[in-house]
């Protein structure tokens, strides 16, 4: 059987475009991720959503929908500013751009960090890449919620990066930059006791929450508690709760 | 005398159509992130319409039931459809649809004007024959690395991805360098990436061995003018073959009697051999 070149090409194009059309009609032509991670297939967590399958295109809302973690906790863990952008609107892939330039050469805070954090939060098994880092608030959150024990806490300390002092990471649509959030009432690495007082938190409240004497007004909270050999992350959670109540 | 429909303009039109389609899809995806949508192609990314994405996802799909990151059902569907066309007519996808093959050809037109008959004949035949198998090594490398990493490993090196994404800032420097090298080489060699490095072309090229409709040359009517050889962008010696089974054939059909061959019914597409048995003994095949 002979066939003309043009006929062969027409059959080819009809097959391809027709195939696309038919699959579109039947609903099998899917060009976007369903934002539902695959299930863990083996072990004691079989049947649960697998954090390892979280993609960069997942928003924090998608992650929250699949795992029992609120978008606010995710934003808090990754020190993201939620005053102007809703926590659920951040994407996993945003982290790489937000943190990328700051910690170049030291490791990476990116989608793998989110996978790792979710796995730790859910107590699911996950092995991150060697260069993956977690921001210190993530560790503080896990510790404060009792999701990691002291042994894990000590192990994880080597993979921690502190967000830049006095700043909150936020992604600008036009130019990625760091935006100061001193007036946003978030306790960061450069927050002082004076900042706390200006946010209507009293000295007594601080001492009651932390169990130790409050530092001088000019003292940087992180440095003050480090001097007392107290974990800043734990103190920060307690103090942030006070600030949030105001 | 009945005027023949020349294939070249038809083919160029189809190539332009698919090039623009892919360009629109890629531009549309970029604009979508900025809140602008183009009707019909909304929600479609370049990865979603890449049949090779389906191929590299096969291992993960079989072992874990999921696709490699950024790959979706659509890539799988296209992979199956393109395989079907290859089983029928060989790598017609490469010769008529692939936009990266098209752009190499268009750049090659400049090279042909500059170098005349020397164009596409720079690489010594012995070296060229060996280099033609390099793309199978690339295919193997891409498949293994994608299976190991579960990521679209080749995207960082893929000149096709670089061509349609260079404005996004998402293209790795290695991809941009590969793109630049391929475009420069296209001035000297026709379709250099297809010949020496394309992993998808390597896979589809295998279909030339068993495709249902083969390109066949009728020895009895052939006048050995070698116009079929000159027309072939992949330097296949059609003039010495009974059936073109060369793994490099891209089914552009430029060699056929509908295009470059001046003798009707001499180089054509057929399911059966053009040579009848004589004296009970069929002629020996002389494939490349």
């Amino acid at each position: 059987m002979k066939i003309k070149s043009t006929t062969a090409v027409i059959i080819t194009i009809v097959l391809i475009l027709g195939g696309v059309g038919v699959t579109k009609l039947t609903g099998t032509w899917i060009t976007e991720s369903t934002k539902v991670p695959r299930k863990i297939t083996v072990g004691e967590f079989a049947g649960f959503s697998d954090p390892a399958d979280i993609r960069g295109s997942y928003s924090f809302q998608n992650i929250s929908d699949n795992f029992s973690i609120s978008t606010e906790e995710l934003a808090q863990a990754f020190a993201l500013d939620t005053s102007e952008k809703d926590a659920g609107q951040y994407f996993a892939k945003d982290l790489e751009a937000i943190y990328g330039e700051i910690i170049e050469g030291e490791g990476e805070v990116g989608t793998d960090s989110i996978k790792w954090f979710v796995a730790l939060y859910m107590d699911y098994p996950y092995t991150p890449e060697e260069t993956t880092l977690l921001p210190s608030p993530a560790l503080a959150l896990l510790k404060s919620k009792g999701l990691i024990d002291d042994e894990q806490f000590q192990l994880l300390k080597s993979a921690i990066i502190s967000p830049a002092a006095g700043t909150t990471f936020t992604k600008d649509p036009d130019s990625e930059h760091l935006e100061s959030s001193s007036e946003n009432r978030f306790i960061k690495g450069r927050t002082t006791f004076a900042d706390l007082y200006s946010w209507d938190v009293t000295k007594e409240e601080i001492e009651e929450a932390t169990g130790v004497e409050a530092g001088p007004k000019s003292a940087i909270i992180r440095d003050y508690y480090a001097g007392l050999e107290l974990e800043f992350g734990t103190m920060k959670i307690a103090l942030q709760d006070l600030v949030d109540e105001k | 005398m009945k005027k023949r429909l020349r294939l070249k303009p038809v083919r160029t039109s189809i190539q332009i159509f698919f090039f623009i389609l892919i360009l629109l899809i890629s531009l549309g995806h970029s604009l979508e992130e900025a809140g602008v949508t183009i009707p019909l192609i909304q929600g479609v990314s370049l990865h979603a319409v890449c049949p090779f994405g389906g191929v590299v996802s096969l291992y993960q799909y079989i072992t874990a039931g999921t696709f490699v990151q950024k790959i979706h059902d659509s890539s799988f569907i296209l992979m199956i459809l393109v395989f079907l066309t290859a089983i029928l007519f060989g790598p017609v996808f490469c010769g008529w649809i692939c936009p990266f093959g098209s752009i190499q050809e268009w750049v090659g037109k400049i090279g042909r004007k500059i170098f005349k008959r020397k164009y596409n004949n720079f690489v010594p035949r012995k070296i060229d024959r060996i280099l033609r198998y390099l793309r199978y090594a690339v295919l193997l490398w891409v498949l293994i690395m994608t299976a190991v990493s579960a990521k679209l490993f080749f995207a960082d090196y893929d000149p096709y991805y670089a061509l349609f994404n260079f404005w996004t800032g998402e293209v790795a420097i290695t991809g941009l360098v590969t793109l630049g090298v391929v475009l420069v080489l296209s001035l000297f060699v026709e379709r250099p990436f297809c010949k020496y490095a394309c992993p998808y072309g390597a896979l589809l090229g295998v279909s030339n061995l068993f495709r249902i409709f083969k390109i066949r040359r009728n020895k009895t009517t052939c006048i050995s003018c070698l116009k079929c050889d000159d027309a072939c962008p992949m330097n296949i010696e059609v003039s010495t073959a009974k059936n073109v089974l060369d793994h490099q054939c891209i089914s552009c059909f430029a060699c056929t009697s509908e295009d470059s061959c001046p003798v009707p019914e001499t180089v054509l597409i057929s399911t059966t051999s053009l040579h009848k048995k004589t004296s009970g003994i069929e002629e020996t095949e002389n494939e490349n």
Side-chain angles (χ1 to χ4, degrees):
Chain A
M1 182 186 168
K2 294 174 197 170
I3 192 169
K4 285 192 166 202
S5 307
T6 42
T7 311
V9 173
I10 289 167
I11 292 171
T12 298
I13 292 172
V14 168
L15 250 174
I16 292 175
L17 295 185
V20 171
V22 169
T23 52
K24 257 190 166 181
L25 286 175
T26 56
T28 47
W29 178 260
I30 298 164
T31 57
E32 289 179 309
S33 166
T34 51
K35 314 298 183 204
V36 177
R38 65 172 175 243
K39 304 291 181 198
I40 298 170
T41 52
V42 292
E44 60 176 310
F45 300 106
F48 291 100
S49 295
D50 190 350
D53 200 36
I54 291 172
R55 315 287 171 104
S57 60
Y58 281 34
S59 67
F60 279 14
Q61 187 59 56
N62 298 142
I63 297 169
S64 180
D65 291 342
N66 286 289
F67 303 92
S68 305
I69 308 174
S70 69
T71 55
E72 289 74 22
E73 282 178 315
L74 287 167
Q76 184 188 339
F78 288 88
L80 299 176
D81 184 5
T82 54
S83 58
E84 289 185 10
K85 183 176 179 178
D86 188 71
Q89 290 178 346
Y90 280 101
F91 286 86
K93 65 182 175 187
D94 290 344
L95 294 175
E96 203 175 319
I98 293 168
Y99 279 86
E101 287 182 16
I102 302 152
I103 54 171
E104 196 175 0
E106 293 181 41
E108 190 177 293
V109 176
T111 306
D112 199 47
S113 306
I114 280 270
K115 294 178 184 183
W116 191 16
F117 174 75
V118 171
L120 288 166
Y121 192 103
M122 304 298 292
D123 198 23
Y124 291 166
Y126 181 69
T127 307
E129 291 172 16
E130 279 182 18
T131 53
T132 300
L133 298 173
L134 282 176
S136 51
L139 191 59
L141 179 70
L142 293 167
K143 184 82 168 68
S144 69
K145 291 186 78 88
L147 296 166
I148 52 172
D149 55 29
D150 288 341
E151 193 183 343
Q152 278 179 301
F153 183 76
Q154 293 305 323
L155 283 171
L156 288 167
K157 275 171 112 176
S158 62
I160 290 300
I161 185 87
S162 293
T167 57
T168 289
F169 296 95
T170 184
K171 192 181 182 188
D172 185 277
D174 300 316
S175 60
E176 286 148 15
H177 68 279
L178 297 174
E179 184 178 283
S180 172
S181 67
S182 56
E183 67 273 14
N184 290 334
R185 297 162 67 103
F186 287 111
I187 298 170
K188 301 292 171 194
R190 301 291 298 171
T191 308
T192 62
F193 283 96
D195 291 329
L196 289 184
Y197 298 143
S198 70
W199 296 337
D200 301 322
V201 180
T202 64
K203 188 170 182 284
E204 291 71 26
E205 286 172 328
I206 294 170
E207 289 174 349
E208 192 184 338
T210 59
V212 291
E213 195 178 336
K217 276 187 180 179
S218 59
I220 291 171
I221 295 171
R222 185 183 59 183
D223 297 346
Y224 176 74
Y225 288 121
L228 296 174
E229 295 189 332
L230 292 169
E231 177 55 43
F232 170 61
T234 313
M235 295 293 123
K236 189 190 131 179
I237 298 286
L239 294 173
Q240 187 67 54
D241 284 344
L242 283 180
V243 173
D244 293 343
E245 282 169 19
K246 298 293 171 181
Chain B
M1 188 179 165
K2 194 179 169 185
K3 201 176 177 182
R4 288 191 301 182
L5 172 70
R6 301 294 294 187
L7 267 189
K8 211 169 276 177
V10 178
R11 183 162 165 261
T12 306
S13 307
I14 291 171
Q15 285 177 306
I16 290 172
F17 169 77
F18 280 102
F19 190 92
I20 292 173
L21 179 68
I22 296 298
L23 186 65
L24 280 176
I25 285 172
S26 196
L27 279 173
H29 193 60
S30 301
L31 290 171
E32 222 165 89
E33 289 178 0
V36 182
T37 53
I38 299 177
L40 295 175
I41 56 169
Q42 188 183 346
V44 182
S45 68
L46 197 62
H47 295 303
V49 291
C50 177
F52 189 56
V55 176
V56 296
S57 263
L58 270 174
Y59 175 80
Q60 187 166 320
Y61 191 76
I62 293 165
T63 55
T66 56
F67 303 120
V68 168
Q69 290 185 4
K70 299 181 183 176
I71 297 302
H72 312 291
D73 300 63
S74 53
S75 306
F76 249 56
I77 290 163
L78 281 174
M79 174 191 73
I80 294 164
L81 292 170
V82 173
F83 276 154
L84 280 176
T85 64
I87 290 167
L88 284 172
F89 311 114
V92 69
F93 174 85
C94 302
W96 291 74
I97 295 173
C98 177
F100 195 64
S102 302
I103 196 157
Q104 289 175 81
E105 269 188 35
W106 298 334
V107 173
K109 284 183 194 299
I110 303 168
R112 192 180 293 277
K113 281 202 171 145
I114 298 169
F115 300 111
K116 309 283 190 252
R117 288 195 68 81
K118 183 74 181 161
Y119 173 73
N120 206 21
N121 289 299
F122 284 98
V123 187
R125 191 160 285 268
K126 267 189 177 177
I127 299 169
D128 179 68
R129 279 184 86 90
I130 297 164
L131 286 177
R132 301 275 181 136
Y133 289 95
L134 192 64
R135 58 184 193 161
Y136 292 98
V138 176
L139 173 64
L140 202 64
W141 174 59
V142 174
L143 289 179
I144 291 171
M145 293 306 290
T146 309
V148 170
S149 66
K151 286 180 182 168
L152 271 185
F153 167 80
F154 192 53
D156 284 350
Y157 305 90
D158 188 356
Y160 167 74
Y161 179 71
L163 176 67
F164 290 102
N165 277 284
F166 66 84
W167 60 86
T168 61
E170 290 178 6
V171 181
I173 188 75
T174 42
L176 291 170
V177 169
T178 312
L179 173 65
V181 169
V182 170
L183 292 180
V184 170
L185 282 178
S186 298
L187 290 169
F188 303 92
V189 180
E190 188 144 17
R191 286 179 171 252
F193 186 71
C194 310
K195 277 175 183 158
Y196 307 123
C198 180
Y200 193 40
L203 187 65
L204 292 180
V206 176
S207 68
N208 283 307
L209 302 174
F210 56 81
R211 56 195 271 190
I212 295 168
F213 289 92
K214 291 186 173 71
I215 296 175
R216 302 177 194 273
R217 183 181 66 98
N218 190 339
K219 266 180 78 174
T220 51
T221 55
C222 177
I223 57 170
S224 299
C225 65
L226 308 186
K227 284 192 174 170
C228 50
D229 295 352
D230 288 343
C232 181
M234 305 302 277
N235 308 75
I236 298 167
E237 285 184 14
V238 182
S239 63
T240 59
K242 200 174 88 176
N243 301 318
V244 178
L245 303 184
D246 195 303
H247 69 104
Q248 288 262 321
C249 176
I250 55 169
S251 293
C252 65
F253 306 131
C255 59
T256 63
S257 295
E258 291 172 69
D259 201 347
S260 65
C261 174
V263 188
E265 300 288 306
T266 298
V267 181
L268 39 84
I269 310 159
S270 169
T271 51
T272 50
S273 173
L274 304 178
H275 302 88
K276 287 176 184 166
K277 284 181 180 178
T278 51
S279 313
I281 304 164
E282 194 174 1
E283 283 183 67
T284 314
E285 295 237 356
N286 179 26
E287 291 93 16
N288 284 302

